[in-house]
Amino acid sequence: QVQLVESGGGAVQAGGSLRLSCVASGRFSSYGMGWFRQAPGKEREFVAAINWSGGSTHYADSVKGRFTISRDNSKNTLYLQMNGLKPEDTAVYYCAQKDKSGGVSSAGLYNYWGQGTQVTVSS
């Protein structure tokens, strides 16, 4: 059983930065992790993913060059550094743990989810 808790969200003006954190209770070090987001009236979408060791990362095209996913297995913590934020980044951001093999961007392959943290970017 896994519990994931996100933090670090907030309100920021366009061009600003935020650092999201996700602390996991239970299994963590042997599993891939990902960040997803859901904007009002929109479906949940993939943001970034990282493999169990941190040696492989993937990003949605919309955030490449602006967001960085990382993890600290000694602290059971996942991070998402978000720079150059845009109004279209406004969403609830969710931390998730990958439980199945397959494409990293598929939400259906992640079986554990946090409650989410709100990110609001104003122009």
Side-chain angles (χ1 to χ4, degrees), residues 10-114:
V12 65
Q13 291 187 331
S17 298
L18 286 172
R19 182 178 175 86
L20 306 184
S21 298
C22 170
V23 179
S25 298
R27 70 183 195 181
F28 181 77
S29 297
S30 298
Y31 296 84
M33 300 290 294
W35 288 98
F36 292 77
R37 66 188 183 187
Q38 187 167 13
K42 302 289 186 178
E43 296 294 322
R44 181 177 51 187
E45 67 175 350
F46 170 75
V47 176
I50 189 167
N51 79 325
W52 71 271
S53 68
S56 180
T57 59
H58 296 84
Y59 298 92
D61 289 343
S62 60
V63 306
K64 286 180 180 177
R66 300 188 297 121
F67 291 10
T68 302
I69 188 171
S70 61
R71 66 191 297 164
D72 185 343
N73 287 345
S74 70
K75 298 180 179 180
N76 277 18
T77 302
L78 176 73
Y79 303 98
L80 184 68
Q81 179 66 49
M82 304 185 295
N83 298 326
L85 284 163
K86 304 175 180 179
E88 51 262 45
D89 294 320
T90 295
V92 176
Y93 283 70
Y94 297 93
C95 166
Q97 184 175 102
K98 195 169 186 291
D99 202 45
K100 300 180 179 66
S101 298
V104 297
S105 64
S106 179
L109 301 181
Y110 295 77
N111 284 355
Y112 294 95
W113 298 81

